[in-house]
Amino acid sequence: MSVSLQDSGRVGLGQAVEVSEGVYAYVQPDGSWWINNTGFLVGSRGVVSVDASSTEARTRAYLETIAAVSDQPVRTLINTHHHGDHTFGNYLFSSATIVGQERSRAAIQAWGLPRSAPYWTDVEWGDVELAPPFLTFDESVTVYVDELRCEVKHLGLPAHTDNDAVVWLPERKVLFSGDLLFNGVTPFVVQGSVGGMLETLAAVERLGAEVVVPGHGPVCGPDVIGDVTSYLRFVQDVAARGVAAGVSPLEAALDTDLGEFADLLDRERIVGNLHRAYAEERGAPWGAPLDAAATLEDMVTYNGGMPLTCHA
């Protein structure tokens, strides 16, 4: 079953695709900056949503899609991590219990309300209100949709962030990965860890998923794990050479041929990822804070001095 609002004249239009009985991925093209995927599971007494969207309009379009599939309320909203493309729309789920990894609550509060300038092109965010999770967990929590078991897991290491969670449906072999996985879009680990992401992806692979709903990009199979792993190892190799040569992350990025990764969306993320990989190459702990402003400024420089393009 496929439900689309693409002809409704609304902004932020996505499509709900049934990936298993009663389990839907809501995919928002093209998956670039601030344009995420969500998903929902339909039960006889309510709906569970995996993530919200970045803007008021996008989240309202998503809620309309859920309503076209089920007349049941969204009773539970699971956040896969704190980033605003997955959480700024939380406040529109007025009847839902919002669930997230323990550190995601403080991280949402620390980030604050959405802002575009000076790093991204202008976005019409809407009247966003912060609504962080109010039911939190450390390692895992189990949610049931009727009798379908949904395992919500933090895999123990900084990866995309320090509060990533996957939603794993072991009976269906379906994985909602959040931003541990990107399909056709450049991975991003500035607030996490390259090494931690690689170890986390090895654990994700052991789950044995057959269908993967990535945080960004089309629904796919488990081969995406190898694709992201290859990119991260490429970043580590560039960082090792750059540190040895005494050049900055920006200089290394400007001098690097992205090769097989050149066609990934948001290619400027190579700079931010190198900032993280440089820190780890020099011995910084996984997930140690970086200078976010300096990192984003270097990404803008790599982008020709123009703000990063966002179509949210």
Side-chain angles (χ1 to χ4, degrees):
M1 179 179 180
S2 177
V3 178
S4 176
L5 291 181
Q6 292 185 1
D7 298 323
S8 69
R10 296 291 299 275
V11 69
L13 307 180
Q15 185 175 60
V17 179
E18 192 168 24
V19 296
S20 184
E21 184 180 357
V23 179
Y24 295 82
Y26 182 77
V27 180
Q28 297 190 95
D30 57 3
S32 57
W33 285 113
W34 299 97
I35 303 175
N36 68 315
N37 295 332
T38 59
F40 59 99
L41 298 84
V42 177
S44 60
R45 298 185 60 193
V47 174
V48 173
S49 177
V50 181
D51 282 326
S53 295
S54 57
T55 69
E56 179 179 350
R58 283 186 176 274
T59 304
R60 290 193 186 280
Y62 172 47
L63 287 168
E64 289 175 14
T65 300
I66 295 175
V69 174
S70 173
D71 61 1
Q72 296 295 314
V74 179
R75 298 180 58 161
T76 307
L77 170 60
I78 300 167
N79 286 153
T80 60
H81 61 292
H82 73 278
H83 286 162
D85 47 343
H86 299 258
T87 63
F88 282 148
N90 280 3
Y91 73 104
L92 294 172
F93 293 77
S94 58
S95 62
T97 298
I98 305 175
V99 180
Q101 203 278 338
E102 177 67 32
R103 285 179 291 276
S104 69
R105 179 177 173 85
I108 288 172
Q109 293 168 325
W111 181 276
L113 292 171
R115 51 200 181 275
S116 308
Y119 304 118
W120 287 277
T121 53
D122 286 340
V123 173
E124 183 57 54
W125 299 102
D127 296 324
V128 173
E129 302 171 16
L130 292 185
F134 53 90
L135 176 61
T136 63
F137 64 92
D138 184 12
E139 296 180 356
S140 66
V141 66
T142 302
V143 176
Y144 285 88
V145 181
D146 295 340
E147 295 305 310
L148 179 62
R149 180 182 178 91
C150 308
E151 298 177 359
V152 186
K153 299 172 175 284
H154 171 63
L155 296 172
L157 296 170
H160 176 63
T161 69
D162 69 355
N163 58 85
D164 303 301
V166 301
V167 181
W168 168 233
L169 314 182
E171 298 169 35
R172 306 288 183 84
K173 304 295 185 185
V174 173
L175 178 73
F176 290 86
S177 71
D179 284 0
L180 294 179
L181 293 169
F182 294 76
N183 183 19
V185 184
T186 305
F188 199 46
V189 293
V190 166
Q191 288 194 305
S193 165
V194 183
M197 182 81 127
L198 286 166
E199 288 200 17
T200 297
L201 291 181
V204 168
E205 189 166 34
R206 290 193 292 270
L207 292 174
E210 296 176 1
V211 176
V212 175
V213 182
H216 298 257
V219 175
C220 53
D223 288 353
V224 71
I225 300 170
D227 295 341
V228 175
T229 296
S230 294
Y231 174 82
L232 295 171
R233 295 202 184 283
F234 169 77
V235 169
Q236 285 183 322
D237 289 344
V238 174
R241 294 195 301 269
V243 170
V247 300
S248 71
L250 175 59
E251 291 169 324
L254 289 169
D255 195 42
T256 293
D257 180 354
L258 293 176
E260 64 182 295
F261 309 111
D263 292 333
L264 296 178
L265 297 177
D266 304 330
R267 63 201 304 269
E268 64 273 3
R269 291 179 182 174
I270 182 65
V271 185
N273 291 331
L274 284 173
H275 272 268
R276 173 57 62 189
Y278 265 57
E280 293 178 11
E281 180 71 16
R282 291 166 171 159
W286 291 354
L290 299 181
D291 185 334
T295 302
L296 286 165
E297 286 165 6
D298 277 358
M299 290 168 65
V300 169
T301 299
Y302 182 91
N303 196 45
M306 301 296 292
L308 311 178
T309 301
C310 180
H311 300 294

